[in-house]
């Protein structure tokens, strides 16, 4: 069974259409997790890290919360991402 160029382009077109269906929940979960990033970081510090966290420059603490929100959003969005990838490229 050989995959033609047209089939690949159709799959990419379907994935392009579902890209917004992935991006919008990712951004919403990211915004929500940024709101809860301080309690999440405190929980991680108390359970896993067991050490104090130190910020050496001004934007470092803001970027730590932003990175935590992005990683949390990615963690919760992975099932949706895989679903849309499967839907786009499944025969």
């Amino acid at each position: 069974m050989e995959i033609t160029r047209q089939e690949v382009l159709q799959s990419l077109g379907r994935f392009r259409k579902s890209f917004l269906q992935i991006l919008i929940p990712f951004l919403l979960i990211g915004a929500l997790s940024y709101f809860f990033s301080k309690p999440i970081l405190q929980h991680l510090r108390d359970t896993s890290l067991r050490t104090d966290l130190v910020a050496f420059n001004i934007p470092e603490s803001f970027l730590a919360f932003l990175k935590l929100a992005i990683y949390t959003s990615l963690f919760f969005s992975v099932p949706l991402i895989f679903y849309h990838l499967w839907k786009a490229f499944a025969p």
Side-chain angles (χ1 to χ4, degrees), residues 37-81:
S37 61
K38 191 169 186 173
I40 293 171
L41 190 60
Q42 287 175 349
H43 175 72
L44 288 174
R45 184 191 67 199
D46 294 340
T47 57
S48 300
L49 299 175
R50 293 190 174 101
T51 185
D52 291 334
L53 300 175
V54 179
F56 292 110
N57 16 354
I58 295 171
E60 190 171 356
S61 61
F62 168 73
L63 291 176
F65 290 132
L66 187 64
K67 286 179 188 178
L68 182 63
I70 290 171
Y71 291 137
T72 305
S73 178
L74 182 64
F75 177 77
F76 286 114
S77 297
V78 163
L80 184 68
I81 292 168

Side-chain angles (χ1 to χ4, degrees), residues 17-42:
K17 290 177 184 176
S18 65
F19 183 71
L20 281 178
Q21 294 175 349
I22 294 171
L23 186 65
I24 291 171
F26 178 79
L27 292 175
L28 290 175
I29 294 170
L32 186 66
S33 63
Y34 182 75
F35 181 70
F36 291 110
S37 61
K38 191 169 186 173
I40 293 171
L41 190 60
Q42 287 175 349

